[in-house]
């Protein structure tokens, strides 16, 4: 739990996490995190209706073991789960909710993007939800390697966060990995750190652009039909853009699928000899114009990476096109 302690301590010191929220996270894990300041561990007063530390809910040891060994991905439905713990959802033959499906596809995209692999999303047999400041989704994804047709299990931890930069939707991944053969072979767990991201990709979301500025064309690349065929994640970004608009009405979102991509303009400050390589930039802004169910939409999707394995951040804003002037 040392990595978790370091992550929480960093958030506490930066002011991004309050002592109360820190306690909530500890309770979600079912234990005090080693290495946190004593005042957080010994806090006695009731916080927002939660009982004092002396009255904390006793946590099932088997649940604790499963969380620690699997990082939250493999939780037995029969163990006793604390109120703010991680809850398993076995799907069987049922389809996952639309957001879970998108999050699972995002995990596959992040893994392929980093590793240069060609894993294809096949389905989601189960997912787990952790409740703290935000909802944390631990998604198990069935994938197929298009190189040799081999089947694998990919695990992705995805969080839907509060908007921070004027965007409508903010989603990030912190774990994207093939399931370890043995528990405990997971490597390092690290938190998102946006400080290394170039300041050109931070702050307020940019406005939608339909055309590259004449004096700044080196920053832009207009996506070609072949690019869309070779990079199916461009359709994923478009689906995220549509979901962003209809995220409070899942049935409306599903009824609008599939969306038709009209135009994508990629904007990046990273330099490439081949303009099409701008698609592979770690940090890039995608200006997407698409149609769904006879309605036109425009969207800005900003992708950033902090350089750490398994991390990707998508910030998304979507609008319907304003009516044309008479």
């Amino acid at each position: 739990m040392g990595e978790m302690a370091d992550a929480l301590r960093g958030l506490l010191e930066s002011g991004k996490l309050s002592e109360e929220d820190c306690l909530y996270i500890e309770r979600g894990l079912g234990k005090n995190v080693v290495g946190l300041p004593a005042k957080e561990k010994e806090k006695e007063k009731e916080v927002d209706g939660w009982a004092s530390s002396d009255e904390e809910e006793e946590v099932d040891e088997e649940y604790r073991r499963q969380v620690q060994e699997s990082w939250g991905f493999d939780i037995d439905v029969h163990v006793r789960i604390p109120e703010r713990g991680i809850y398993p959802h076995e799907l069987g033959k049922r389809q996952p909710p639309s957001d879970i499906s998108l999050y699972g596809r995002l995990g596959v995209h992040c893994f392929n993007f980093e590793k240069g692999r060609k894993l294809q999303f096949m389905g989601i047999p189960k997912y787990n939800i952790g409740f703290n400041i935000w909802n944390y989704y631990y998604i198990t994804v069935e994938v197929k390697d298009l190189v040799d047709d081999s089947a694998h299990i990919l695990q992705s931890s995805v969080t839907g966060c509060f908007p921070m930069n004027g965007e409508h939707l903010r989603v990030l991944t912190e774990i994207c990995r093939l399931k370890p053969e043995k528990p405990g072979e997971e490597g390092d767990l690290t938190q998102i750190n946006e400080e290394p991201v170039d300041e050109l990709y931070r702050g307020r979301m940019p406005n939608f652009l339909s055309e590259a500025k004449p004096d700044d064309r080196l920053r832009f690349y207009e996506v070609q039909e072949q690019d869309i065929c070779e990079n199916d994640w461009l359709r994923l970004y478009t689906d995220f853009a549509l979901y962003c608009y209809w995220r409070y009405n899942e049935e409306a979102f599903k009824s609008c699928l599939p969306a038709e991509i009209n135009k994508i303009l990629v904007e990046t400050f990273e330099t490439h000899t081949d303009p099409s390589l701008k698609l592979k930039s770690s940090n890039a802004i995608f200006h997407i114009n698409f149609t769904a169910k006879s309605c036109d939409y425009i969207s800005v999707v900003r992708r950033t990476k902090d350089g750490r394995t398994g991390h990707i951040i998508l910030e998304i804003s979507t609008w319907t096109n304003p009516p044309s002037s008479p």
Side-chain angles (χ1 to χ4, degrees):
M1 299 297 290
E3 296 89 350
M4 180 64 73
D6 291 341
L8 293 179
R9 188 185 301 107
L11 289 171
L12 279 168
E13 293 175 352
S14 67
K16 295 180 179 179
L17 186 68
S18 68
E19 294 178 7
E20 289 82 358
D21 288 334
C22 181
L23 286 173
Y24 292 163
I25 294 175
E26 288 189 81
R27 291 188 175 101
L29 291 171
K31 66 181 295 183
N32 284 334
V33 178
V34 176
L36 287 177
K39 63 180 180 180
E40 278 80 42
K41 291 185 179 182
E42 298 172 357
K43 204 170 185 72
E44 296 292 332
K45 68 178 182 179
E46 187 171 305
V47 179
D48 292 338
W50 285 89
S52 69
S53 57
D54 289 340
E55 301 173 357
E56 286 184 5
E57 180 180 0
E58 183 179 351
V59 177
D60 188 317
E61 286 300 322
E62 179 60 19
Y63 164 81
R64 190 199 310 273
R65 182 191 66 79
Q66 291 179 12
V67 170
Q68 292 177 351
E69 288 190 355
S70 72
W71 278 10
F73 289 99
D74 295 316
I75 308 297
D76 194 315
V77 295
H78 301 296
V79 298
R80 183 163 54 84
I81 300 171
E83 186 173 358
R84 282 188 175 257
I86 300 173
Y87 288 80
H89 294 261
E90 299 282 350
L91 289 172
K93 295 182 179 180
R94 293 177 292 120
Q95 293 298 311
S98 296
D99 57 345
I100 300 299
S101 179
L102 288 170
Y103 296 164
R105 291 166 61 192
L106 179 60
V108 177
H109 163 50
C110 180
F111 185 85
N112 286 338
F113 189 85
E114 291 183 345
K115 306 295 185 182
R117 298 285 293 272
K118 293 184 177 181
L119 301 185
Q120 182 181 55
F121 174 93
M122 300 301 292
I124 296 176
K126 66 176 183 177
Y127 64 96
N128 302 337
I129 303 180
F131 301 95
N132 278 309
I133 308 170
W134 306 295
N135 287 348
Y136 296 82
Y137 300 93
Y138 303 85
I139 304 172
T140 297
V141 186
E142 296 171 334
V143 296
K144 180 175 71 173
D145 193 326
L146 296 179
V147 174
D148 58 10
D149 282 339
S150 57
H152 302 274
I153 295 296
L154 183 136
Q155 296 176 326
S156 181
S157 172
V158 183
T159 304
C161 304
F162 297 123
M164 297 174 59
N165 299 306
E167 72 275 26
H168 299 159
L169 180 66
R170 178 182 178 86
V171 180
L172 58 87
T173 66
E174 290 190 299
I175 303 172
C176 297
R177 66 177 188 180
L178 293 179
K179 182 176 180 178
E181 293 185 5
K182 296 180 180 179
E185 295 181 343
E186 62 275 348
D188 296 326
L189 172 63
T190 58
Q191 69 178 92
I192 287 282
N193 177 18
E194 297 187 54
E195 287 302 316
V197 177
D198 193 304
E199 63 181 10
L200 295 170
Y201 302 93
R202 289 189 283 166
R204 297 290 297 179
M205 283 284 283
N207 294 324
F208 173 81
L209 295 175
S210 58
E211 299 290 343
K213 298 177 181 179
D215 59 343
D216 207 6
R217 294 186 182 276
L218 291 178
R219 284 210 336 255
F220 295 88
Y221 171 69
E222 184 171 339
V223 171
Q224 305 300 304
E225 184 64 33
Q226 182 179 350
D227 296 321
I228 298 174
C229 294
E230 295 176 354
N231 300 277
D232 63 347
W233 53 265
L234 289 168
R235 297 193 182 278
L236 170 64
Y237 285 14
T238 305
D239 287 349
F240 258 114
L242 181 63
Y243 172 77
C244 175
Y245 188 85
W246 290 108
R247 61 193 179 280
Y248 299 118
N249 188 337
E250 183 175 15
E251 290 305 313
F253 165 70
K254 291 164 66 174
S255 72
C256 289
L257 293 172
E260 178 184 353
I261 298 174
N262 299 323
K263 181 177 179 178
I264 300 179
L265 197 63
V266 184
E267 178 183 5
T268 180
F269 294 89
E270 298 178 22
T271 57
H272 299 279
T273 54
D274 182 349
S276 67
L277 292 178
K278 291 184 183 295
L279 289 169
K280 300 184 182 297
S281 299
S282 295
N283 303 306
I285 301 165
F286 299 82
H287 303 268
I288 306 175
N289 182 308
F290 64 97
T291 300
K293 209 172 182 179
S294 301
C295 181
D296 292 330
Y297 299 81
I298 56 175
S299 181
V300 177
V301 179
R302 181 163 65 184
R303 175 180 73 205
T304 53
K305 290 181 64 63
D306 63 1
R308 298 182 178 184
T309 301
H311 291 188
I312 195 168
I313 304 170
L314 291 187
E315 298 168 281
I316 308 160
S317 292
T318 304
W319 309 265
T320 52
N321 270 343
S324 302
S325 301

